[in-house]
Amino acid sequence: MRHLGAFLFLLGVLGALTDICEIPEVDIQLVEKLGQRLLPWMDRLSREHLNPSVYVGLRLSSVQVGTKEKLYLRSLKLDYQQCLLRSALSENDSDCQAKPSMGRLSLYLLALRANCEFIRGHKGDRLISQLKRFLEDEKRAIGHNHKGHPHTSYYQYGLGILALCVHQKRVHNNLVGKLLYAVEHDRLHQSHFSVDTAAMAGLAFTCLKRSNFNPDQRHRITMAIRTVQEKILKAQTPEGYFGNVYSTPLALQLLMTSPMSGAELGTACLKAKVALLASLQDGAFQNAVMISQLLPVLNHKTYVDLISPDCLAPRVMLEPATTTLPQIQDPETINVTLQVLSLLQPYRQAIPVLAGSSLEDVLKKAHMLGGFIYEKQASLSGPYLTSVMGKEAGKREFWQLLQAPNTPLQQGIADYRPKDGEAIELRLVSW
Ligand code: B12
């Protein structure tokens, strides 16, 4: 009888466990392998390579790179503080070609919190004012009637509120109100539901709620958290992803903070974890930003933990990977068709490249062969295609990458590797 009681108790505990969104222990070797892909970033301390998202991801993970982390944060500080503060004084600073965007400044503030620092002093105050100004500008762009759009995106708007919140800086009700309205009226996204954007908004609201900020809006904030959670759960694919494989890490970050419980939530998260682990085996996570959003999840952490991070938690030291280079004998040549049909003068050409080439290699080769021109811009996620055949994407437009006829790629030009015979279309679309 006593045994039966213990058994029922155990079942009860297990049942309760699956009611919340928990990611059971993940094989540390798998985490180390992911972390190792970030190692090259730790050695690149030049402006164009510094990536605050990578730093945040590492600090919230179960792995570390020792003293390199300190050096990296120091370089981030030098770069962001100097550039932001100087560019506030003069627009044309020779050292700082581009003023960091609202999103980058927010990620930088998250990086400081990931090292358990609060923004301090005169310089710190100016950075906070700068971020608040960014948000005010966005609020104006959205407009009184909420009919406009932020200059950047609601993703960066959410990130901005989250960054201020983890630094315990209050944000005016008006600013929070814009994000609340967007969630309440389904205006976070233009064409289709973006799980990443919804998750980021949810993380920002969760921080506000936990910090007891904006008490007058508490009810709306609670409801908005519930709305994004429900929508993200609804966006689960049959394989288990929330949205797609790359939005699943942020979605899990949000669901893991959830006060909501229920068998549905627990099962959905377990299913997502199984799908993610399978995609890890397939090598889906190569992009540093994507890895940086996933690592906290595998360590049961989320960006909301930056309210009071645990900087003393033991983390496993990463050793450089010992890779044995595969013997490549005469790599075969494949053909990839590149097409641009959305312009007056369509372009369609079979491009021969070596097997394993990236889409960016295909674009380069097409350019070399003549008749094709393009431009790209560096971003934290890698090179972003900005212009094709001399036609630059305008405001709220972008050059979409598709596998013909109609399947949008889930990776950028540097990461996607087309197969022999594949046709890739570049299409100018609105978003
Ligand atoms: C907003 C957004 C967009 C907007 C960007 C415009 C804008 N004004 O913000 C639009 C809708 C245009 C867009 C386009 C694309 N996106 Co997008 N996007 C995002 C999102 C939600 C936020 C990015 C952001 O603001 N980051 C924070 C700031 C601080 O970082 P940043 O580097 O300064 O941000 C810039 C870049 O991220 C760039 N950007 C946006 N998307 C992508 C994708 C790639 C591959 C690259 C290199 C750059 C890039 O635009 C940002 C604003 O300037 C992320 C979600 C996420 N989880 O990260 C997805 C995300 C990065 N995008 C993704 C993808 C796949 C794309 C596309 C390749 C889709 C396609 N099939 O065409 C295209 C890019 C094509 C190209 N021309 O190179 C994937 C990348 C996955 C991966 N393996 O790397 C993500 C993670 C979404 C997802 N879950 O699938 N995107």
Side-chain angles (χ1 to χ4, degrees):
M1 199 58 195
R2 254 180 48 207
H3 285 310
L4 181 66
F7 179 67
L8 287 178
F9 175 73
L10 192 70
L11 265 188
V13 171
L14 284 177
L17 264 183
T18 52
D19 265 12
I20 52 171
C21 183
E22 267 213 337
I23 301 298
E25 216 52 54
V26 176
D27 179 8
I28 183 71
Q29 280 177 344
L30 206 64
V31 180
E32 284 179 90
K33 250 188 172 164
L34 274 177
Q36 274 160 348
R37 290 185 198 142
L38 298 182
L39 283 177
W41 289 81
M42 289 290 120
D43 295 320
R44 296 182 196 141
L45 302 179
S46 59
R47 169 155 307 130
E48 64 272 25
H49 288 113
L50 281 172
N51 194 328
S53 180
V54 167
Y55 183 84
V56 175
L58 260 181
R59 291 301 303 255
L60 289 176
S61 78
S62 53
V63 290
Q64 59 154 319
V65 293
T67 47
K68 280 188 182 176
E69 278 176 17
K70 277 205 175 82
L71 273 175
Y72 198 75
L73 185 62
R74 209 174 70 191
S75 306
L76 273 174
K77 283 183 184 175
L78 277 173
D79 191 49
Y80 277 74
Q81 307 229 354
Q82 279 178 6
C83 274
L84 274 162
L85 295 176
R86 279 204 232 148
S87 60
L89 298 175
S90 77
E91 287 293 320
N92 307 317
D93 192 302
S94 56
D95 272 356
C96 313
Q97 281 132 4
K99 182 161 127 187
S101 63
M102 176 167 77
R104 286 192 189 209
L105 171 54
S106 309
L107 286 172
Y108 169 64
L109 293 182
L110 293 189
L112 290 181
R113 276 310 287 145
N115 190 40
C116 292
E117 290 180 46
F118 276 111
I119 193 115
R120 287 183 315 249
H122 181 55
K123 281 187 181 171
D125 288 345
R126 280 171 61 189
L127 289 182
I128 294 290
S129 311
Q130 170 82 32
L131 182 48
K132 287 189 173 169
R133 262 199 308 277
F134 270 135
L135 283 170
E136 288 287 345
D137 280 354
E138 294 294 47
K139 187 190 86 181
R140 267 190 295 279
I142 298 167
H144 286 304
N145 54 8
H146 307 271
K147 291 265 154 43
H149 304 281
H151 298 297
T152 57
S153 61
Y154 277 110
Y155 181 93
Q156 292 199 29
Y157 197 93
L159 195 56
I161 292 182
L162 175 69
L164 288 168
C165 175
V166 297
H167 277 271
Q168 300 297 292
K169 301 287 176 198
R170 286 167 195 270
V171 192
H172 202 278
N173 279 348
N174 276 337
L175 290 173
V176 177
K178 291 288 178 216
L179 194 59
L180 282 170
Y181 185 96
V183 169
E184 290 160 355
H185 296 85
D186 225 353
R187 289 185 62 88
L188 281 182
H189 0 260
Q190 191 68 337
S191 42
H192 63 276
F193 180 66
S194 157
V195 167
D196 309 76
T197 307
M200 191 51 82
L203 288 167
F205 291 140
T206 305
C207 179
L208 295 177
K209 191 174 169 190
R210 288 206 186 161
S211 311
N212 275 324
F213 287 171
N214 307 83
D216 307 346
Q217 291 172 315
R218 196 169 173 79
H219 179 66
R220 278 177 81 192
I221 289 174
T222 306
M223 295 309 288
I225 295 173
R226 194 173 297 166
T227 304
V228 290
Q229 279 173 352
E230 283 168 2
K231 289 199 173 163
I232 288 174
L233 283 175
K234 270 206 193 113
Q236 189 161 36
T237 64
E239 301 100 299
Y241 299 125
F242 295 114
N244 67 22
V245 52
Y246 299 112
S247 43
T248 304
L250 279 185
L252 279 169
Q253 283 202 33
L254 175 71
L255 295 175
M256 280 161 59
T257 64
S258 174
M260 192 161 97
S261 69
E264 193 202 354
L265 178 67
T267 319
C269 289
L270 283 182
K271 220 174 137 189
K273 185 213 159 181
V274 173
L276 267 185
L277 289 186
S279 73
L280 284 179
Q281 307 287 359
D282 291 348
F285 281 80
Q286 300 293 335
N287 185 284
V289 167
M290 291 301 102
I291 295 174
S292 75
Q293 294 176 359
L294 174 62
L295 280 176
V297 172
L298 301 180
N299 191 31
H300 320 288
K301 296 273 182 244
T302 79
Y303 291 161
V304 178
D305 288 306
L306 295 173
I307 297 177
S308 51
D310 178 1
C311 288
L312 298 175
R315 291 182 287 141
V316 174
M317 182 67 84
L318 280 177
E319 303 296 340
T322 44
T323 41
T324 39
L325 289 174
Q327 294 279 315
I328 304 169
Q329 300 136 348
D330 285 343
E332 85 184 278
T333 298
I334 59 167
N335 277 300
V336 178
T337 302
L338 183 64
Q339 58 190 43
V340 188
L341 310 175
S342 56
L343 294 179
L344 273 174
Q345 282 206 322
Y347 166 94
R348 191 166 200 273
Q349 201 61 249
I351 311 293
V353 286
L354 291 182
S357 297
S358 67
L359 176 53
E360 192 176 6
D361 295 328
V362 175
L363 302 185
K364 275 186 201 152
K365 183 74 180 282
H367 177 65
M368 245 171 58
L369 294 174
F372 179 81
I373 52 170
Y374 72 101
E375 278 172 54
K376 60 183 180 172
Q377 206 174 59
S379 79
L380 298 181
S381 295
Y384 178 77
L385 187 65
T386 51
S387 154
V388 173
M389 299 305 203
K391 174 82 184 138
E392 199 171 323
K395 218 172 160 38
R396 302 195 59 76
E397 278 182 346
F398 76 107
W399 278 101
Q400 190 181 33
L401 320 176
L402 303 111
Q403 185 186 59
N406 248 330
T407 312
L409 302 186
Q410 294 182 6
Q411 290 175 304
I413 54 172
D415 294 339
Y416 188 74
R417 295 175 194 280
K419 302 225 162 42
D420 191 22
E422 207 172 312
I424 299 290
E425 181 173 341
L426 310 177
R427 190 185 292 166
L428 188 61
V429 297
S430 305
W431 65 281

